[in-house]
Amino acid sequence: VTRLEQDFEVGDSLGEGGFGQIIKARRKCDDNEFAIKIIKFKSNLKDIETTRREANVLSELNHNNIVRYYNSWTVTANMPLDEYKKLCSDSEESLSTEVYSLSTKGYISEDNGVEEEENSESDEDSFVVFQPEPEYKKVKYLFIQMELCENNTLRHAIDNDLYKDEIKLSKYFREICEGLSYIHKRNIVHRDLKPENIFLTSEDVIKIGDFGLSKKILPDNNLESVQGNELPCGSLTDVCGTPIYIAPELRYRTSCSIKSDIYSLGVIYFEMCSKSMTKMEKSLVFPITRKYLQGLNFLTSNSKKKFLIRILLHLNDTERPTCDEILKILNSEKSIEEMKEMIQQNRK
Ligand code: ATP
Ligand code: MG
Ligand code: MG
């Protein structure tokens, strides 16, 4: 019996992705509900490291607008080689976590070499290197227990005419900026910001989630400097996020800064302020937005919104504002000219 089954009553699936799946689970001891992300990965060091990054980053964060992390643990299971091969040949996407089928077939069991360990201490030694029997392959699962965000995602809100609800729109955007400001101050770049990764709780509070591609960058006091907060963040193939949210500099540079998240935020804000678009419409609008940004007539007539969208989507990342600057602009009654002035002053 795995910890999941021992401590939790497993509920519905909340979502599925390339990594595995997310399930709803009720903790038996106190009836509290959580979302548990189950990530399947191969037992090599590189995969262990990248998979753990999400749990490691999340465990450091404690902010009202970031998905709260509670715990994480790993399980190792033996999978017969033929079944393993079948799983792998079904392409990466369909490698959905077959943890239940494994446990019902008895591949996960104490006498079959189940290994569960807490990794809140992030102790590398806890990953024991197994000598697998020839007919079995070791498969590892990382379980991340986190806050349940039941009220769908920002995508859902955008698709339900968020642009018409001025109050909700500015509340959501403000909360996204607060959460993002918090992680940026800790030198973490999210790198996969999009409406699908921004969740809403039953109290309608924004929670930024899915830290699967997040990266810790070099600490730097001066967040405005270009070189200062850059650190190679892998090749573009690593950034498997939806293309329209990817900052243009990431196409020719292998380094990233918090300003790449600001670009994604600009695309998100644009969507929040606009009528819901189809994929087709988006693929037409966004290349144009980048090229003809200055001349484009946004669907919104509010000039503060236009001003914000323009500077968030600035092609030059150093010109994009920080989250704190965005919050200042949101709170300010100043004219656009005065706000431009304010940002210039801020940077001197
Ligand atoms: P992507 O493929 O976009 O990188 P992902 O597969 O890595 O995403 P998540 O974005 O973390 O995984 O989660 C996938 C889906 O599961 C989400 O879109 C959401 O519907 C659901 N989900 C994730 N986390 C939670 C949560 N804490 N509470 C409720 N539902 C969640
Ligand atoms: Mg996601
Ligand atoms: Mg992800």
Side-chain angles (χ1 to χ4, degrees):
V1 178
T2 64
R3 181 188 308 193
L4 181 68
E5 287 153 331
Q6 187 183 308
D7 295 347
F8 297 91
E9 213 173 276
V10 175
D12 298 338
S13 168
L14 293 165
E16 238 166 88
F19 67 93
Q21 63 180 143
I22 305 237
I23 51 157
K24 191 166 156 175
R26 184 190 295 278
R27 190 160 61 193
K28 287 175 187 169
C29 67
D30 59 10
D31 261 2
N32 280 328
E33 287 190 307
F34 298 92
I36 297 182
K37 190 167 185 171
I38 308 168
I39 305 169
K40 176 197 159 94
F41 60 104
K42 296 191 198 92
S43 272
N44 60 55
L45 261 177
K46 188 176 167 277
D47 283 12
I48 290 168
E49 229 167 73
T50 47
T51 308
R52 274 198 162 183
R53 197 159 62 192
E54 181 168 5
N56 285 340
V57 166
L58 263 182
S59 67
E60 274 182 39
L61 308 176
N62 182 7
H63 186 273
N64 195 37
N65 301 117
I66 305 288
V67 170
R68 188 61 201 285
Y69 161 98
Y70 291 96
N71 200 359
S72 70
W73 66 92
T74 52
V75 168
T76 307
N78 279 317
M79 192 182 265
L81 196 60
D82 50 344
E83 205 157 313
Y84 179 84
K85 277 185 182 156
K86 213 177 93 217
L87 258 175
C88 293
S89 68
D90 287 351
S91 90
E92 282 300 305
E93 281 94 85
S94 57
L95 277 183
S96 69
T97 317
E98 295 297 335
V99 73
Y100 304 117
S101 90
L102 277 174
S103 74
T104 48
K105 286 175 188 163
Y107 300 144
I108 295 181
S109 71
E110 256 133 2
D111 47 4
N112 220 349
V114 177
E115 193 200 35
E116 288 197 44
E117 65 251 317
E118 216 146 321
N119 70 16
S120 25
E121 245 59 87
S122 118
D123 170 15
E124 287 303 328
D125 286 338
S126 62
F127 276 93
V128 178
V129 179
F130 273 81
Q131 283 302 323
E133 289 171 32
E135 66 270 31
Y136 284 99
K137 201 87 181 166
K138 291 284 174 199
V139 192
K140 274 182 179 279
Y141 299 93
L142 171 68
F143 293 73
I144 305 176
Q145 179 192 346
M146 55 191 169
E147 175 178 15
L148 178 65
C149 309
E150 286 219 84
N151 200 10
N152 248 307
T153 67
L154 185 63
R155 168 61 62 216
H156 183 80
I158 291 171
D159 289 345
N160 283 280
D161 295 338
L162 177 63
Y163 76 103
K164 286 182 183 164
D165 190 338
E166 197 57 53
I167 293 170
K168 208 176 217 180
L169 170 68
S170 61
K171 171 188 142 61
Y172 285 176
F173 185 59
R174 202 176 285 268
E175 288 177 354
I176 298 168
C177 292
E178 304 268 5
L180 203 55
S181 163
Y182 176 88
I183 69 163
H184 285 173
K185 287 202 176 108
R186 275 147 194 82
N187 300 303
I188 292 162
V189 189
H190 186 286
R191 300 204 304 164
D192 198 16
L193 278 182
K194 54 183 175 183
E196 290 78 3
N197 286 337
I198 298 175
F199 306 125
L200 285 160
T201 66
S202 46
E203 271 92 45
D204 219 20
V205 175
I206 287 281
K207 304 276 173 176
I208 300 174
D210 194 356
F211 282 75
L213 287 179
S214 64
K215 194 100 184 171
K216 201 150 183 162
I217 56 170
L218 287 175
D220 183 17
N221 297 326
N222 181 8
L223 291 177
E224 306 308 330
S225 94
V226 207
Q227 282 104 19
N229 54 42
E230 284 178 359
L231 194 77
C233 65
S235 64
L236 248 182
T237 52
D238 190 31
V239 185
C240 58
T242 313
I244 63 162
Y245 301 97
I246 298 178
E249 69 272 11
L250 294 181
R251 289 161 194 274
Y252 55 83
R253 229 171 52 188
T254 52
S255 56
C256 70
S257 73
I258 56 159
K259 294 300 180 71
S260 316
D261 277 351
I262 300 295
Y263 183 89
S264 313
L265 182 66
V267 181
I268 294 168
Y269 192 43
F270 181 95
E271 282 191 274
M272 289 169 78
C273 298
S274 319
K275 225 167 154 175
S276 158
M277 287 176 277
T278 63
K279 277 211 173 93
M280 184 63 160
E281 286 168 328
K282 273 189 237 170
S283 69
L284 289 173
V285 166
F286 284 103
I288 297 170
T289 316
R290 285 195 194 112
K291 259 192 190 154
Y292 306 107
L293 207 57
Q294 296 310 316
L296 201 83
N297 267 326
F298 294 114
L299 292 159
T300 159
S301 59
N302 182 311
S303 64
K304 201 193 244 183
K305 276 186 196 152
K306 275 189 197 171
F307 170 68
L308 264 175
I309 291 169
R310 277 187 189 141
I311 55 169
L312 290 172
L313 291 174
H314 208 290
L315 290 178
N316 180 353
D317 62 351
T318 54
E319 294 293 323
R320 292 174 210 147
T322 62
C323 289
D324 285 351
E325 285 169 342
I326 300 167
L327 287 165
K328 247 190 212 153
I329 293 169
L330 290 175
N331 293 331
S332 140
E333 295 293 327
K334 293 194 173 102
S335 71
I336 302 292
E337 284 312 313
E338 285 172 315
M339 286 191 279
K340 280 183 187 162
E341 186 76 17
M342 186 175 83
I343 291 181
Q344 290 308 324
Q345 287 300 321
N346 216 9
R347 290 179 182 188
K348 275 177 193 150

